Amino acid sequence: MILVFADQRDGNLKKASKEAISEGKRLATSLSDSLGVVVLGSGAKGVVDEIKKYGADKVFVSETPDAYSPDLYAEGVAKIAKENDAKVVLFPGTSMCVDFAPRVSAKLEAGLVTDITATEVKDGKLVVKKPVYSGKAIATVDYKSDIAMATLRPNVFELAESNGAGEVVEFSVDGEAKAKAIKVELKEAGKVELTEASIIVSGGRGVKGPEYFQNELQQLADLLGAAVGASRAAVDAGWIDHSHQVGQTGKVVSPKVYMAFGISGAIQHLAGMGTSQYIIAVNKDPDAPIFNVASLGVVADLFKVVPALIEEIKKAK
Amino acid sequence: MNIMVFIKQVPDTETKIKIADDGKSIVEDGINWIVSPYDEFAIEEAVKTKENLGGEVTVVTMGPKRAESALRTALAMGCDKAIHLEDDAFEGADAYSTAKALAKVIEKHNPDLIFFGKQGVGNDNTQVGQLVAEMVGIGHIGTCIKLEIDGDTIRGEREIEGGRETVETKLPAIVTAQRGLNEPRYPNLRGIMKAKKKPLEKLTPADLGLSADEVGLAGAKTVYLSLELPPARQAGKKIEVEPEVAAKEIVEFLKNEAKVL
Ligand SMILES: Cc1cc2nc3c(=O)[nH]c(=O)nc-3n(C[C@H](O)[C@H](O)[C@H](O)COP(=O)(O)OP(=O)(O)OC[C@H]3O[C@@H](n4cnc5c(N)ncnc54)[C@H](O)[C@@H]3O)c2cc1C
Ligand SMILES: Nc1ncnc2c1ncn2[C@@H]1O[C@H](COP(=O)(O)O)[C@@H](O)[C@H]1O
């Protein structure tokens, strides 16, 4: 079985989960295997129908444990993997999965490769690709364990609906949590999550202050249904919260369109957005390195371009 | 409190990466080696905790001879003693076989509180702290940006999509440090001088009760088949026009190329 973990909170199935299930289905097809999906926690039952749309043959569902626990979540997934003789276990690269997937790897004594951007089947075996050294190289990684595990970079793998047997198997994860989430605060409910956004509007030191993030860039983002990102220089200046930082020491994003305003394009920034499908850069310095990777480069003052762009998008809508 | 912090020496993020003749590793000549940036947060939190609650901080790394300088940096920042897992057999480790060796250090010394960085930059596994927690059988708080110690209970805040969550666990436990946890101090001259005299113990697989085939490349569950330069990104169109014209061009691009409007 190819097993995929579906990350959901309170009945909201993450987009990255659907991508992982879609990729699991593609692997199941090319390896002539079945696809199982495991989903845990309160709200789990509510996402079963949605999971089935992506071709699951079996959905293993448990409303336990009641709160996120890295050790109990690992136990739940490892148990299903063992009982069903999983050959491959995939996870979406969400904050939750990055946190507990290594524990599953220890339990199954299986190799885990994080943040993969491609899979390949070679001689009937899975090999994966992963960017390393700030995206300056791509590693092709092979497994020496019977079970191969990976977390998938969000927004890279294509969604694909398909058919599967869709059998539902209920189970429960019992035991005492060693560590457990005791509080969850969603500050930005309703806002587009950076790692899942298909468009990101990002600002750097050139934006010159917090107001521009809160006003113009946010307005532009809202018009486009985009998330707001930032360079480290902007975060370090205190203009915007670190949760918006893109790059080596921030988030790795892979949107369809990344728009960089007043960002020079340092290697550590590129490490976080270099796999974006299209990059649009606005910078007044014609020699800014960001232009080396920009699909569309605009040499101009961002303070003049952004307002004009807002007007133009309003017209286009 | 008996505190332990695990650090990894990595290439400076500015380093130009050259692929070695074997096609699966990097050329190490000319690389400037640094303590992985996240491990600096781990060191700072360990030293700060000692300053607040008393005790001792042991810094641990597994790596070749050169990694000694990373240990000296941590000692200069205020750690008290160092352990260096240095042996040819440790070479070629992946996250799994690294964790296997590091877990033994914890089992040998029984620290109360253990810090890791969230990620060793370069290979970016983001795994070793959690793997060790599972192997040792203790709780962990991952990518922690705020830590509170309350007797033998610890609570840590971590970022999740669209917000934060607080995770609670009991000591002994592992915390992996994320940017935001603190501002790492710079080692000062006095610290650097003192660091030279602090004890540094070397350990081999045998000292940890491990055989050579459980560590390094032999004990790894994943191996690099190849390492390649990424396909060069083609720079596209570059324009220098009036703002209004630029805005129109961007909208055209969003409509016709990216097809998101
Ligand atoms: C270990 C390490 C980790 C790091 N991690 C990250 C990370 O995760 N993310 C990250 O972003 N950086 C990171 N950095 C920092 C990185 O090296 C750069 O310093 C940073 O990305 C620069 O941010 P910037 O492009 O906003 O600022 P700058 O480099 O100062 O660039 C500002 C740009 O704005 C342009 N500009 C100014 N005014 C205007 C205007 N009116 N109109 C148009 N353009 C204008 C300028 O021409 C310039 O190109 C890291 C560095 C290190 C050493
Ligand atoms: N060779 C090593 N020696 C000591 N600690 C390590 C080593 N490799 C990784 N770590 C620790 O594990 C963390 C996560 O590393 P990684 O899983 O490789 O991204 C690092 O930030 C270090 O704290």
Side-chain angles (χ1 to χ4, degrees):
Chain A
M1 176 177 282
I2 309 296
L3 189 65
V4 180
F5 175 80
D7 181 344
Q8 67 86 29
R9 278 188 198 256
D10 303 322
N12 292 313
L13 185 64
K14 295 243 158 71
K15 176 166 169 259
S17 301
K18 299 176 203 171
E19 293 163 7
I21 302 168
S22 302
E23 186 62 15
K25 185 69 179 184
R26 284 187 284 270
L27 284 178
T29 308
S30 56
L31 293 166
S32 315
D33 207 336
S34 64
L35 173 68
V37 175
V38 53
V39 56
L40 301 177
S42 78
K45 283 187 187 163
V47 299
V48 167
D49 285 338
E50 214 175 345
I51 287 172
K52 284 187 192 167
K53 279 197 226 157
Y54 295 90
D57 296 307
K58 275 193 175 170
V59 186
F60 303 93
V61 53
S62 165
E63 289 267 338
T64 53
D66 58 341
Y68 171 60
S69 155
D71 40 291
L72 285 188
Y73 267 55
E75 202 167 301
V77 175
K79 179 179 139 156
I80 297 298
K82 278 184 196 153
E83 286 174 3
N84 295 279
D85 197 17
K87 292 281 179 287
V88 173
V89 185
L90 302 181
F91 300 79
T94 58
S95 61
M96 176 195 280
C97 294
V98 170
D99 190 52
F100 86 91
R103 282 188 173 263
V104 182
S105 141
K107 281 181 187 290
L108 299 176
E109 298 183 18
L112 167 66
V113 183
T114 51
D115 200 29
I116 67 163
T117 52
T119 67
E120 229 175 77
V121 175
K122 251 193 183 160
D123 308 325
K125 264 192 74 195
L126 179 67
V127 292
V128 297
K129 288 187 189 287
K130 156 190 176 86
V132 290
Y133 301 108
S134 326
K136 284 179 272 190
I138 309 283
T140 303
V141 192
D142 191 12
Y143 295 91
K144 293 206 293 178
S145 51
D146 296 336
I147 305 174
M149 297 178 51
T151 68
L152 279 54
R153 180 175 290 193
N155 258 343
V156 171
F157 294 88
E158 249 173 76
L159 290 180
E161 296 196 1
S162 69
N163 298 317
E167 184 193 340
V168 178
V169 183
E170 291 193 27
F171 74 111
S172 74
V173 187
D174 309 308
E176 196 160 341
K178 291 195 175 80
K180 180 176 176 170
I182 53 165
K183 193 167 94 185
V184 176
E185 277 171 291
L186 294 178
K187 289 178 299 183
E188 310 205 325
K191 290 244 172 79
V192 187
E193 163 57 28
L194 202 55
T195 49
E196 292 192 346
S198 57
I199 307 177
I200 292 174
V201 171
S202 217
R205 202 194 311 267
V207 163
K208 301 219 161 59
E211 297 80 15
Y212 211 76
F213 275 103
Q214 284 151 23
N215 303 326
E216 285 81 355
L217 291 189
Q218 186 61 56
Q219 195 188 345
L220 181 58
D222 290 343
L223 276 172
L224 291 167
V228 175
S231 74
R232 174 156 160 189
V235 171
D236 283 353
W239 301 342
I240 186 164
D241 191 74
H242 175 248
S243 59
H244 294 268
Q245 184 180 317
V246 171
Q248 175 126 48
T249 41
K251 295 207 165 100
V252 174
V253 297
S254 204
K256 188 144 195 211
V257 181
Y258 188 88
M259 302 176 82
F261 295 97
I263 294 177
S264 61
I267 184 72
Q268 296 91 351
H269 191 77
L270 299 184
M273 42 65 83
T275 53
S276 304
Q277 205 172 333
Y278 298 98
I279 297 169
I280 300 176
V282 179
N283 195 306
K284 65 180 183 189
D285 172 9
D287 298 323
I290 190 82
F291 288 130
N292 298 334
V293 298
S295 336
L296 176 63
V298 179
V299 184
D301 182 350
L302 74 93
F303 296 107
K304 294 198 176 121
V305 173
V306 171
L309 184 56
I310 288 172
E311 288 316 307
E312 203 58 40
I313 292 171
K314 280 186 186 157
K315 267 196 258 164
K317 283 199 148 185
Chain B
M1 177 140 23
N2 183 0
I3 302 165
M4 195 168 262
V5 56
F6 288 88
I7 65 169
K8 185 179 184 186
Q9 195 183 44
V10 300
D12 188 333
T13 50
E14 302 281 352
T15 306
K16 252 202 139 61
I17 294 298
K18 275 192 255 124
I19 291 163
D21 290 338
D22 68 358
K24 50 188 170 187
S25 59
I26 57 169
V27 176
E28 295 204 350
D29 301 343
I31 287 182
N32 179 29
W33 296 92
I34 59 165
V35 173
S36 182
Y38 296 102
D39 299 350
E40 292 183 357
F41 304 121
I43 297 168
E44 176 62 34
E45 201 65 16
V47 172
K48 220 172 75 183
T49 305
K50 173 190 76 169
E51 287 166 353
N52 291 337
L53 302 174
E56 194 177 58
V57 181
T58 307
V59 57
V60 186
T61 196
M62 183 188 92
K65 179 82 181 142
R66 60 168 158 74
E68 221 177 276
S69 68
L71 292 175
R72 291 291 171 203
T73 303
L75 292 172
M77 286 171 74
C79 295
D80 301 290
K81 46 185 198 181
I83 295 177
H84 189 181
L85 278 58
E86 187 196 347
D87 193 287
D88 289 346
F90 291 126
E91 303 263 319
D94 70 345
Y96 192 95
S97 60
T98 300
K100 189 104 191 175
L102 302 186
K104 292 289 178 203
V105 180
I106 293 177
E107 283 164 3
K108 203 170 158 199
H109 289 265
N110 291 310
D112 305 301
L113 180 55
I114 305 135
F115 292 97
F116 282 78
K118 96 159 188 195
Q119 171 180 351
V121 308
N123 295 320
D124 299 336
N125 295 316
T126 332
Q127 292 190 43
V128 172
Q130 302 96 300
L131 276 169
V132 170
E134 184 64 37
M135 288 173 180
V136 177
I138 57 179
H140 83 265
I141 299 173
T143 53
C144 185
I145 51 173
K146 194 172 159 201
L147 184 66
E148 186 189 304
I149 303 171
D150 180 1
D152 71 343
T153 299
I154 61 170
R155 279 178 285 274
E157 276 184 26
R158 43 185 258 107
E159 273 174 13
I160 56 172
E161 289 80 7
R164 286 180 178 191
E165 76 185 350
T166 307
V167 172
E168 183 176 283
T169 188
K170 290 246 182 275
L171 297 181
I174 284 174
V175 175
T176 78
Q178 162 73 315
R179 203 170 111 84
L181 184 60
N182 52 46
E183 270 308 320
R185 68 194 69 187
Y186 286 104
N188 59 25
L189 196 61
R190 231 190 71 190
I192 294 168
M193 294 314 289
K194 273 169 93 180
K196 291 187 178 148
K197 298 197 195 80
K198 290 181 179 172
L200 191 156
E201 184 189 0
K202 301 261 176 183
L203 294 179
T204 64
D207 296 330
L208 297 168
L210 290 167
S211 67
D213 58 8
E214 290 174 280
V215 297
L217 185 60
K221 303 285 185 195
T222 59
V223 282
Y224 280 16
L225 281 180
S226 63
L227 203 57
E228 282 146 322
L229 296 177
R233 250 199 119 93
Q234 288 294 321
K237 196 168 157 189
K238 193 158 141 195
I239 54 173
E240 203 165 347
V241 290
E242 288 304 308
E244 291 72 25
V245 183
K248 282 204 174 70
E249 288 261 1
I250 294 173
V251 169
E252 284 301 304
F253 188 91
L254 291 173
K255 262 193 201 155
N256 303 331
E257 289 272 339
K259 302 192 171 58
V260 291
L261 266 187

